[in-house]
Amino acid sequence: MTRKIVILTEGHTNPHTAKTAASVIRYRTDEVVAVLDSTQRGVTSQALLGVGGGIPVVGSLEEAPSADTLLIGIAPRGGRIPDAWRPVILKAITRGMNIVSGLHDFISDDAEFAEAARQRGVTIHDVRKNRERDIAQRPGFRQGCVRIHTVGHDCSVGKMVTAIELQRGLSAAGHNAKFVATGQTGIMIEGDGCPLDCVVSDFINGAAEKLVLANQQHDFLLIEGQGSLFHPSYSAVTLGILHGTLPDGLVLCYEAGRTQVAAMEHVPLPSLTELRRIYETVAGIMHPCRAIGIAVNSRRLSATEADDECHRASDELGLPACDVFRHGADVLVQAVLRLREEIVR
Amino acid sequence: MTRKIVILTEGHTNPHTAKTAASVIRYRTDEVVAVLDSTQRGVTSQALLGVGGGIPVVGSLEEAPSADTLLIGIAPRGGRIPDAWRPVILKAITRGMNIVSGLHDFISDDAEFAEAARQRGVTIHDVRKNRERDIAQRPGFRQGCVRIHTVGHDCSVGKMVTAIELQRGLSAAGHNAKFVATGQTGIMIEGDGCPLDCVVSDFINGAAEKLVLANQQHDFLLIEGQGSLFHPSYSAVTLGILHGTLPDGLVLCYEAGRTQVAAMEHVPLPSLTELRRIYETVAGIMHPCRAIGIAVNSRRLSATEADDECHRASDELGLPACDVFRHGADVLVQAVLRLREEIVR
């Protein structure tokens, strides 16, 4: 059954803060009926988020009478519910809409929301809620299951979209490939996965390992990365996924022109060469693994500049490079297939 | 007020499984009145755990009538409450004893235990319970606060005791030094700290950073390590502490003769040289940091073998090495003081 989703981004309808919204619109376009932001009423999703075509930005829930689901479309630092959003969420519940949220603050744990949902008989799906309690056991994975992991120099550089575009490219070429979602947005898009950044830290490697065990019947797993080994706040999450899923190949994701950690201007980002060295070293502690390609996020560049940047990156590391939105993911798909040739006999 | 503690280790009174018990007995000797293990009734703590002198192992709570606190003395993999222990915990509560537990399964969240505690007016202290929700911000630490972190090749090799012995050595020499506890046992001993392995993974770096911010008035912080970058299950926890606390110096801890990860015999452990290389590389992503000494756990060796092992380790890395129990921590204390000379001007 197709949902009819309103995505709440009140006051934050831009591609960075509302990256959950933008990605759900990109990959679940048919299910989205409106974006809710009273400060931007009347414009289109395309104009504000760069995706979604004519999907309207509305000023209130009343303007989307057919909608049956309210999806929280931002991922603020720290994951708390902005106070200004409470009346909207409550109104949606009262109207009989289901709620989908990826915040660290669980809406279903809020007494007022929980009681309202119970009375109205609607579902609150807190995507990040989990009871992961298994430590990694290193049981060994199926030999024929090639694991590709997208890692980055920072947050919000395209690790999720690169994994999805790779999966789509492999599937389109007739291969049995699965996108493995590790974060709230990926789970909203794929419909399964595990919110690894919200797992108790003793169990993150174990939860990541279980994601592979549950999906290793596929020939290719495209495992979404989170955070970055270079991010002061989230490097532990990044490592838990790297050491729990034991990738065979890495796709290095970076945004051209970004030289400092986002919102931490005193923390510099590494060169591409250093990025590769650190990820290969740290992954290699547990399993033979190497970088096989580069996903360049060139959103700040012109088309010509983007091509130049991809050539520069490719020359620096001797690896194929592309912007998956501008150029398609084909050169990376080919790199994955070459890796499979090598490691699966 | 001094507590009168019975430590529950039923069926697991050995130094490895009951490492919480052994360490609380070592560093809180005056508060421990008995160890409870009906399978070992009549022997001494010293005989089974190698510490505690004549502290008796009793077969039931009735044999320790003066006790006012029951402390859970094991840290099983996964942190669950063994079923066989439920009646003992309930009897302790009913008798009016407070409960101290470091398990991942919170005793205060168990309906039966919680209700019994409420009725009897006793306190359940789940040491691992926390609501950490702040991401690391990298605010900069006080220049004069030297941060030393104990890291290891595996779990249970002496990272906590090395940090404590270093703190005691520095304090005895008149320096202002603080042991920073990052795990359940350390917190039980020190009375403060943060159970970082039980923090939601998005916030572990932040919680570690807050531990430094809360203690940086001291001139030396001896920060307890957890897990290992080489441990398949716990490497994310290890990294969160490394990147949250930004140590200036590392003490490398290892157990002589251990060549595989404990309880994971198919996972090899690294050489000392590799251990140093990886930790310095990974710590160095965020802050200049180097290994300054080696803490050898020589429990399986004779005194002569232990001396030889320390010389071998010292020669391999060109760093001072000792077993802090056999030799005292003095050579490591001197290494910390030399590092301070260098970095604090």
Side-chain angles (χ1 to χ4, degrees):
Chain A
M1 205 188 63
T2 306
R3 299 167 295 182
K4 293 191 175 68
I5 303 173
V6 170
I7 303 187
L8 180 64
T9 55
E10 186 66 25
H12 294 88
T13 314
N14 64 74
H16 190 77
T17 317
K19 70 172 184 170
T20 294
S23 293
V24 171
I25 292 167
R26 182 183 301 279
Y27 292 111
R28 289 284 185 177
T29 319
D30 294 349
E31 294 191 311
V32 181
V33 299
V35 172
L36 176 50
D37 181 349
S38 64
T39 69
Q40 301 286 348
R41 181 169 188 274
V43 276
T44 63
S45 169
Q46 189 75 38
L48 293 178
L49 296 171
V51 287
I55 292 174
V57 179
V58 298
S60 71
L61 284 177
E62 286 75 8
E63 296 172 61
S66 69
D68 60 14
T69 302
L70 181 72
L71 184 147
I72 309 295
I74 64 160
R77 285 156 68 92
R80 295 193 172 86
I81 306 168
D83 276 348
W85 293 19
R86 295 190 59 91
V88 183
I89 295 169
L90 200 59
K91 185 180 287 181
I93 294 172
T94 311
R95 193 175 106 174
M97 296 170 75
N98 297 315
I99 308 291
V100 176
S101 168
L103 300 178
H104 274 292
D105 262 5
F106 299 135
I107 295 190
S108 58
D109 283 354
D110 181 287
E112 188 179 14
F113 294 146
E115 176 56 21
R118 197 191 57 75
Q119 285 189 12
R120 198 59 179 78
V122 303
T123 303
I124 298 174
H125 182 200
D126 281 304
V127 176
R128 268 195 172 120
K129 208 168 196 173
N130 73 87
R131 296 277 302 163
E132 292 297 334
R133 281 291 190 92
D134 298 298
I135 63 166
Q137 304 278 6
R138 193 66 84 72
F141 296 141
R142 185 174 75 86
Q143 195 62 18
C145 172
V146 174
R147 298 175 303 281
I148 305 297
H149 184 35
T150 53
V151 295
H153 70 158
D154 197 0
C155 294
S156 301
V157 296
K159 297 179 293 287
M160 185 192 75
V161 299
T162 300
I164 293 175
E165 295 296 333
L166 267 171
Q167 179 267 315
R168 294 187 163 199
L170 286 161
S171 296
H175 298 286
N176 178 357
K178 163 81 177 169
F179 166 62
V180 177
T182 61
Q184 50 144 335
T185 307
I187 296 167
M188 288 176 189
I189 292 166
E190 185 68 6
D192 59 24
C194 181
L196 292 173
D197 61 4
C198 202
V199 170
V200 165
S201 52
D202 246 4
F203 307 116
I204 181 170
N205 298 35
E209 181 180 280
K210 278 164 52 183
L211 275 180
V212 173
L213 292 173
N215 290 295
Q216 60 179 339
Q217 71 276 18
H218 299 282
D219 294 332
F220 296 92
L221 296 183
L222 291 306
I223 302 161
E224 177 192 7
Q226 294 294 333
S228 162
L229 288 179
F230 297 87
H231 198 295
S233 313
Y234 306 122
S235 57
V237 176
T238 310
L239 184 66
I241 304 177
L242 200 58
H243 280 182
T245 64
L246 305 177
D248 303 300
L250 301 174
V251 176
L252 305 175
C253 306
Y254 77 101
E255 183 184 340
R258 199 188 295 192
T259 55
Q260 284 97 19
V261 172
M264 274 199 204
E265 274 138 41
H266 53 309
V267 183
L269 286 170
S271 69
L272 265 185
T273 298
E274 180 70 355
L275 186 74
R276 184 201 348 217
R277 182 181 78 88
I278 291 288
Y279 275 105
E280 288 184 344
T281 299
V282 174
I285 294 172
M286 297 291 172
H287 183 73
C289 177
R290 65 168 202 270
I292 61 164
I294 310 165
V296 182
N297 177 334
S298 66
R299 67 188 176 97
R300 300 192 218 197
L301 306 184
S302 69
T304 315
E305 288 170 337
D307 293 348
D308 289 350
E309 177 70 15
C310 289
H311 286 124
R312 194 198 62 71
S314 183
D315 286 348
E316 181 176 341
L317 298 191
L319 293 174
C322 64
D323 181 313
V324 296
F325 288 151
R326 285 189 199 255
H327 310 119
D330 195 53
V331 299
L332 297 178
V333 168
Q334 297 309 318
V336 171
L337 293 173
R338 282 195 300 274
L339 181 68
R340 182 182 174 83
E341 288 279 297
E342 232 178 87
I343 63 176
V344 180
R345 307 254 163 224
Chain B
M1 205 188 64
T2 307
R3 298 168 297 182
K4 293 192 176 68
I5 302 172
V6 170
I7 302 186
L8 180 65
T9 56
E10 186 67 25
H12 294 87
T13 314
N14 63 74
H16 190 76
T17 318
K19 71 173 184 168
T20 295
S23 293
V24 171
I25 292 167
R26 183 183 301 279
Y27 293 110
R28 289 284 186 176
T29 320
D30 294 349
E31 295 192 312
V32 180
V33 299
V35 172
L36 176 51
D37 182 349
S38 64
T39 69
Q40 300 287 348
R41 182 170 188 272
V43 277
T44 64
S45 167
Q46 189 75 39
L48 293 178
L49 296 171
V51 287
I55 291 173
V57 179
V58 299
S60 71
L61 284 177
E62 286 75 9
E63 296 172 60
S66 70
D68 60 15
T69 302
L70 180 72
L71 184 148
I72 310 295
I74 64 159
R77 284 156 68 92
R80 295 194 172 85
I81 306 168
D83 276 347
W85 293 18
R86 295 190 60 90
V88 182
I89 296 169
L90 200 60
K91 186 181 286 181
I93 294 172
T94 311
R95 192 176 105 174
M97 296 170 75
N98 297 315
I99 308 291
V100 177
S101 168
L103 299 179
H104 274 293
D105 261 4
F106 300 134
I107 295 190
S108 58
D109 284 354
D110 181 287
E112 187 179 15
F113 294 146
E115 176 57 22
R118 196 191 58 76
Q119 285 188 11
R120 197 61 178 77
V122 303
T123 303
I124 297 174
H125 182 199
D126 282 305
V127 176
R128 267 195 172 120
K129 207 169 196 174
N130 72 87
R131 295 278 302 162
E132 291 298 334
R133 280 293 190 92
D134 297 298
I135 63 166
Q137 304 278 6
R138 193 65 85 73
F141 296 142
R142 186 175 73 87
Q143 196 60 21
C145 171
V146 174
R147 298 175 302 281
I148 305 296
H149 185 34
T150 53
V151 294
H153 69 159
D154 196 1
C155 294
S156 302
V157 295
K159 297 179 293 287
M160 184 192 75
V161 301
T162 300
I164 294 175
E165 295 296 333
L166 266 172
Q167 179 267 316
R168 293 188 163 200
L170 286 162
S171 295
H175 299 285
N176 178 357
K178 163 82 175 168
F179 166 62
V180 177
T182 62
Q184 51 144 335
T185 308
I187 296 168
M188 288 177 188
I189 291 167
E190 185 68 4
D192 60 24
C194 181
L196 292 173
D197 61 4
C198 201
V199 170
V200 165
S201 53
D202 245 5
F203 307 116
I204 180 170
N205 297 36
E209 180 179 280
K210 278 164 53 184
L211 275 181
V212 173
L213 292 174
N215 290 294
Q216 60 178 339
Q217 71 276 18
H218 299 282
D219 294 332
F220 297 93
L221 296 184
L222 291 308
I223 302 160
E224 178 192 8
Q226 294 293 333
S228 162
L229 288 179
F230 297 87
H231 198 295
S233 313
Y234 306 121
S235 57
V237 176
T238 309
L239 184 65
I241 304 177
L242 201 58
H243 280 181
T245 63
L246 304 179
D248 303 299
L250 300 174
V251 176
L252 306 174
C253 306
Y254 77 101
E255 183 182 341
R258 199 188 295 193
T259 55
Q260 284 98 18
V261 171
M264 274 200 205
E265 273 138 41
H266 54 308
V267 183
L269 286 169
S271 69
L272 264 184
T273 298
E274 181 69 355
L275 186 74
R276 188 210 334 226
R277 182 180 79 89
I278 292 288
Y279 275 105
E280 288 184 344
T281 299
V282 174
I285 294 172
M286 297 290 173
H287 183 74
C289 176
R290 65 168 202 270
I292 60 164
I294 309 163
V296 182
N297 177 334
S298 66
R299 67 190 176 95
R300 299 193 217 196
L301 307 184
S302 69
T304 315
E305 289 170 338
D307 292 349
D308 290 350
E309 177 70 15
C310 289
H311 286 125
R312 193 197 63 70
S314 183
D315 286 349
E316 182 176 340
L317 298 191
L319 293 174
C322 64
D323 181 314
V324 296
F325 288 152
R326 285 189 200 256
H327 309 119
D330 196 53
V331 299
L332 297 177
V333 168
Q334 296 309 317
V336 172
L337 294 173
R338 283 195 300 275
L339 181 68
R340 182 181 174 82
E341 288 278 299
E342 234 178 85
I343 63 177
V344 181
R345 306 255 162 225

